[in-house]
């Protein structure tokens, strides 16, 4: 468990991450490493904010002199509604993970961060990409893939949620009734199944040998999704790199300087 406080007990600092629960957050250690690498003396802390208290927490933090806040589960939509202004991508997915104070200006670095993590996979735009999930993370993934010119295919346990997601995004994509990896270059797990060690019904034996399995969840142990893909000899990517890149993009939006991605990643080695 990492150090955190209730938002009403926050001490003056420059930056924070809010969520509920927040005890698992790696953001303070990652951003503190960035502050050291940049030679900047800012403090970044973790605060628990219960549902329904997000707007009040932002007012309090702004009064304490905070300049920026990262937002994690379950507050990205509540934060979107609490903003005075939002950047276009955040408007599109109606979720904010990065806030500038005291302006109450919001952005979303999950989608752009996800695209940055794909760069080293060198996928062609006609690659078939299967996205699993239809929650907040899937919205950012599907919107950013579509914006980058991919045509994702979507599977979600609850089909109607996938339909709502595509309608909300204005993206035309195929929805499938089973997570079939056949013919896919990339399969992105943006469900939270791995958080609880739950298995998704994927038959990796059907996948191309060159396919990549990417799980947005990260942890000390690989998720069941990544374990089963690796057991079939496939390349795997977990969500740690995305955690670093979305955090780096937040820092760059707040400070206007290039974020030290390597130092941030190295601070997270288990
Ligand atoms: P949501 O709660 O909004 O959505 C959860 C999704 O997972 C839904 O599509 C849900 O399906 C699906 N799901 C949950 N359990 C199962 C299961 N057992 N089998 C099949 N599908 C399941 O969560 P988010 O979208 O906000 O987040 C998803 C994950 O992505 C989280 O674990 C989060 O930690 C991670 N994430 C990681 C980031 C990073 O930086 N690495 C950034 C953002 C998110 P249904 O609709 O049927 O309920």
């Amino acid at each position: 468990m990492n150090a955190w406080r209730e938002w009403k007990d926050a001490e003056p600092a420059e930056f924070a991450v809010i969520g509920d629960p927040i005890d698992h957050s790696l953001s303070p250690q990652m951003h503190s490493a960035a502050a050291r690498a940049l030679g900047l003396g800012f403090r970044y802390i973790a605060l628990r904010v219960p549902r329904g208290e997000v707007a009040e927490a932002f007012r309090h933090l702004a009064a304490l002199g905070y300049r920026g806040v990262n937002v994690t589960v379950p507050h990205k939509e509540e934060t979107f509604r609490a903003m005075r202004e939002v950047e276009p991508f955040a408007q599109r997915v109606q979720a904010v993970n990065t806030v500038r104070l005291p302006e109450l200006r919001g952005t979303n670095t999950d989608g752009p961060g996800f695209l940055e993590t794909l760069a080293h996979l060198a996928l062609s735009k006609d690659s078939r990409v299967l996205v699993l999930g239809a929650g907040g993370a899937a919205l950012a993934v599907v919107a950013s893939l579509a914006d980058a010119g991919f045509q994702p295919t979507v599977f979600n346990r609850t089909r109607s949620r996938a339909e709502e997601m595509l309608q909300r995004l204005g993206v035309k994509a195929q929805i499938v009734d089973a997570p079939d990896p056949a013919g896919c270059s990339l399969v992105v797990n943006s469900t939270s199944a791995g958080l609880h060690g739950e298995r998704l019904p994927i038959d990796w034996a059907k996948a191309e040998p060159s396919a990549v399995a990417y799980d947005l969840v990260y942890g000390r142990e690989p998720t069941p999704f990544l374990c089963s893909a690796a057991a079939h000899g496939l390349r795997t990517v977990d969500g740690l790199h995305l955690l670093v890149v979305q955090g780096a993009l937040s820092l760059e939006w707040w400070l206007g300087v290039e974020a030290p991605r390597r130092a941030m990643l190295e601070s997270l080695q288990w």
Side-chain angles (χ1 to χ4, degrees), residues 134-137 156-158 161 190-192 195 198 200 216-217 239 243:
N156 191 48
R157 182 176 59 178
T158 313
R161 268 192 98 189
S190 48
T191 77
S192 50
L195 277 183
E198 290 169 309
L200 295 161
L216 263 51
V217 171
L243 175 74

Side-chain angles (χ1 to χ4, degrees), residues 89 108-121 123 129-131 137-146 148 150 152 186-190 214-216 237-239 241-247 249:
F89 185 79
N108 185 311
T109 64
D110 287 335
F114 173 72
L115 282 186
E116 187 178 319
T117 65
L118 291 191
H120 67 288
L121 300 179
L123 298 171
V129 180
L130 175 62
V131 178
L139 267 165
V141 165
V142 169
S144 59
L145 283 170
F150 292 95
L186 175 67
V187 182
V188 184
N189 182 17
S190 48
Y214 185 147
D215 200 328
L216 263 51
V237 178
D238 76 4
H241 190 199
L242 174 57
L243 175 74
V244 170
V245 176
Q246 60 79 30
L249 293 173

Side-chain angles (χ1 to χ4, degrees), residues 42-73:
F42 65 74
R43 283 188 69 204
Y44 184 112
I45 60 163
L47 298 171
R48 190 179 82 90
V49 177
R51 274 185 202 271
E53 296 181 16
V54 166
E56 204 187 341
F58 286 140
R59 278 195 293 278
H60 183 65
L61 297 178
L64 285 173
Y66 282 70
R67 297 167 59 190
V69 178
N70 281 130
V71 180
T72 187
V73 179

Side-chain angles (χ1 to χ4, degrees), residues 107-236:
T107 193
N108 185 311
T109 64
D110 287 335
F114 173 72
L115 282 186
E116 187 178 319
T117 65
L118 291 191
H120 67 288
L121 300 179
L123 298 171
S124 67
K125 291 290 156 68
D126 55 4
S127 307
R128 196 171 155 224
V129 180
L130 175 62
V131 178
L132 313 178
L139 267 165
V141 165
V142 169
S144 59
L145 283 170
D147 288 352
F150 292 95
Q151 285 194 315
T153 300
V154 177
F155 165 79
N156 191 48
R157 182 176 59 178
T158 313
R159 188 186 168 103
S160 58
R161 268 192 98 189
E163 289 163 358
E164 282 163 28
M165 172 176 77
L166 295 180
Q167 198 172 14
R168 181 160 145 190
L169 292 176
V171 166
K172 284 193 173 53
Q174 192 189 355
I175 299 174
V176 290
D177 290 323
D180 183 356
C184 293
S185 303
L186 175 67
V187 182
V188 184
N189 182 17
S190 48
T191 77
S192 50
L195 277 183
H196 320 291
E198 290 169 309
R199 295 193 168 270
L200 295 161
I202 299 185
D203 182 0
W204 288 113
K206 292 183 178 172
E208 303 289 327
S210 59
V212 178
Y214 185 147
D215 200 328
L216 263 51
V217 171
Y218 53 86
R220 273 176 213 280
E221 304 297 333
T223 59
F225 173 85
L226 294 185
C227 283
S228 57
H232 283 83
L234 303 181
R235 185 171 167 193
T236 61

Side-chain angles (χ1 to χ4, degrees), residues 6 8 14 31 87 105 120 130-131 135 143 201 243 246 251:
E6 299 291 343
K8 288 178 184 165
E14 286 74 26
H31 285 276
E87 300 290 335
R105 188 175 180 90
H120 67 288
L130 175 62
V131 178
L243 175 74
Q246 60 79 30
L251 211 54

Side-chain angles (χ1 to χ4, degrees), residues 79-80 83-91 96 104-107:
T79 297
F80 171 76
M83 296 295 97
R84 274 195 211 120
E85 278 181 282
V86 289
E87 300 290 335
F89 185 79
Q91 181 70 45
V96 161
L104 280 179
R105 188 175 180 90
T107 193

